[in-house]
Amino acid sequence: MSSTASISVQSQDKLRPVRIWLYCLAVLILIMVAVGGATRLTDSGLSITEWKPISGMIPPLSMADWQAELEAYRQIPEYQLINKGMSLEEFKFIFWWEWGHRFLGRVIGLAFAIPFVIFLAQKRLNWQLAPSLFILFILGGFQGFLGWWMVSSGLTERVDVSQYRLATHLSAACILFLAIIWVVRRLRHVDPIWVEKGWRPLVWLFGGLVFIQLIAGAFVAGMDAGLAYNTWPLMDGSLVPSNIYTSTPMWLDAFEDITTAQFNHRTFAYVIALFAAILVYRAWKNTQFAGVHAWMLVIAALVIIQILLGIFTLIYVVPLSLALAHQVTAFLLLGAVVAYLADMKREI
């Protein structure tokens, strides 16, 4: 994707609609993430038990259609063990969340494909840009497959989806979002940004830590770990709970134990906050490069907002609005880091 950095100044007017298109796709993905989070938090994700890429675009149109969907839902463990006796109206509530999530995925596919064909016909896209856009298309299609792979894990023996598959699905959505941000930022022709030698690896490391934190958060969400230990800064009356990493093998607790998963998520937040503070201090201490570090203020502000959202989401026992804001802000934080890295084009 780095080949897009060589786009000439003369092509900027020609590429402006392409940049707007890619930014719109990024916004759609953020909306998709929010709807997906709401689907998870309302326990709606298993309400549609089949994957119909084409015919699934049409929702139930008659009472017979609705009864058929409800009957299919009655066959899975979530209904039999948790929602037995659910009325049709109650079922419609969870159905519409899941249908909306899937429908939005199809909208994003069309929002990619149709402008792509138009821009090809207008010759706004060249062979330098084509590989990047092809990779984005593949990532988007793969995301749809991962969504069904995740849902299928909760249709037979479980009453919810696998936290491993949920983490994979969310991580893939984040990678797609970040790839779009990288491509669109590299399409801009700007004056070279000079950063001190060794600064870029530090920012990459910071971004990697934030991405790991996002995965850790997915495991917290996948196990409903946020519904436990709703106090801060203490967990179960202690900064370090006594009942973490007690299983054999011990490392599995990070992915399968509620207490350990939440403790890891909290601890990683502290590490990221400290790292961000060090980066900001170092950026502004070196006055020679102070003008190129405005992104660090944005990143630091998003870190603070994200931590506050995480704390309030926890102590108020995961209200929908705060939980969704927490999830979306994680994407915005990573997007800011990647945009900052994409804008770095020179080192001395």
Side-chain angles (χ1 to χ4, degrees):
M1 295 184 186
S2 61
S3 62
T4 57
S6 62
I7 302 297
S8 65
V9 181
Q10 292 79 9
S11 65
Q12 290 307 295
D13 290 341
K14 181 177 166 181
L15 286 175
R16 187 170 182 271
V18 177
R19 294 198 304 273
I20 294 173
W21 165 55
L22 291 174
Y23 276 126
C24 288
L25 285 175
V27 171
L28 284 173
I29 290 172
L30 281 179
I31 296 172
M32 182 75 164
V33 168
V35 173
T39 301
R40 168 66 187 171
L41 290 167
T42 56
D43 292 322
S44 304
L46 300 178
S47 57
I48 302 178
T49 59
E50 294 181 290
W51 189 30
K52 300 175 180 178
I54 305 301
S55 60
M57 294 181 65
I58 303 174
L61 300 176
S62 66
M63 183 58 68
D65 292 339
W66 279 112
Q67 290 294 344
E69 292 289 348
L70 177 56
E71 185 58 33
Y73 179 64
R74 285 171 175 164
Q75 308 308 310
I76 69 172
E78 182 182 75
Y79 174 84
Q80 297 166 2
L81 299 177
I82 297 178
N83 291 330
K84 196 170 184 65
M86 172 180 276
S87 68
L88 180 59
E89 289 306 310
E90 291 170 327
F91 172 72
K92 286 181 179 181
F93 174 79
I94 63 172
F95 179 94
W96 281 122
W97 272 117
E98 175 63 9
W99 183 87
H101 186 51
R102 297 190 188 194
F103 183 78
L104 185 55
R106 295 178 174 100
V107 168
I108 292 174
L110 292 174
F112 182 93
I114 295 174
F116 178 76
V117 172
I118 293 173
F119 291 148
L120 276 179
Q122 294 176 341
K123 297 183 179 180
R124 293 183 184 273
L125 307 178
N126 57 35
W127 288 108
Q128 288 178 306
L129 189 55
S132 299
L133 296 178
F134 178 74
I135 291 173
L136 293 179
F137 180 75
I138 295 298
L139 286 174
F142 187 59
Q143 181 67 356
F145 166 77
L146 286 176
W148 173 248
W149 179 64
M150 178 188 69
V151 168
S152 65
S153 67
L155 297 179
T156 53
E157 299 177 357
R158 301 172 57 101
V159 296
D160 55 10
V161 300
S162 162
Q163 67 268 32
Y164 293 98
R165 298 190 186 189
L166 174 65
T168 303
H169 186 48
L170 185 65
S171 300
C174 187
I175 290 171
L176 175 60
F177 174 74
L178 298 180
I180 291 174
I181 296 298
W182 178 269
V183 170
V184 73
R185 296 301 294 185
R186 301 295 276 186
L187 285 178
R188 298 164 60 248
H189 180 82
V190 294
D191 293 333
I193 293 180
W194 300 84
V195 295
E196 59 269 39
K197 193 171 182 62
W199 179 256
R200 189 197 301 259
L202 285 176
V203 179
W204 273 112
L205 177 59
F206 177 79
L209 291 175
V210 176
F211 186 73
I212 292 172
Q213 173 72 328
L214 181 136
I215 297 173
F219 278 96
V220 170
M223 294 185 288
D224 291 324
L227 299 177
Y229 307 104
N230 300 104
T231 57
W232 185 86
L234 303 182
M235 283 183 66
D236 198 24
S238 174
L239 284 173
V240 181
S242 59
N243 55 334
I244 60 173
Y245 291 107
T246 58
S247 301
T248 303
M250 188 172 62
W251 60 268
L252 269 180
D253 276 3
F255 311 106
E256 298 184 1
D257 175 66
I258 289 174
T259 306
T260 307
Q262 190 187 126
F263 173 77
N264 288 347
H265 197 47
R266 292 187 183 209
T267 303
F268 241 86
Y270 304 144
V271 171
I272 288 169
L274 178 60
F275 199 169
I278 292 171
L279 289 178
V280 170
Y281 174 76
R282 177 169 171 175
W284 262 261
K285 183 180 178 182
N286 191 342
T287 56
Q288 180 184 1
F289 300 100
V292 304
H293 291 310
W295 269 117
M296 278 310 307
L297 280 182
V298 175
I299 291 168
L302 286 170
V303 168
I304 294 171
I305 292 170
Q306 180 67 343
I307 289 175
L308 290 175
L309 285 171
I311 292 170
F312 286 119
T313 299
L314 183 71
I315 63 178
Y316 287 109
V317 198
V318 197
L320 184 63
S321 57
L322 287 176
L324 295 184
H326 186 53
Q327 182 168 292
V328 170
T329 304
F331 274 63
L332 292 175
L333 172 56
L334 274 166
V337 173
V338 168
Y340 185 31
L341 286 164
D343 286 359
M344 294 181 195
K345 297 184 181 179
R346 296 290 187 273
E347 290 185 354
I348 59 173

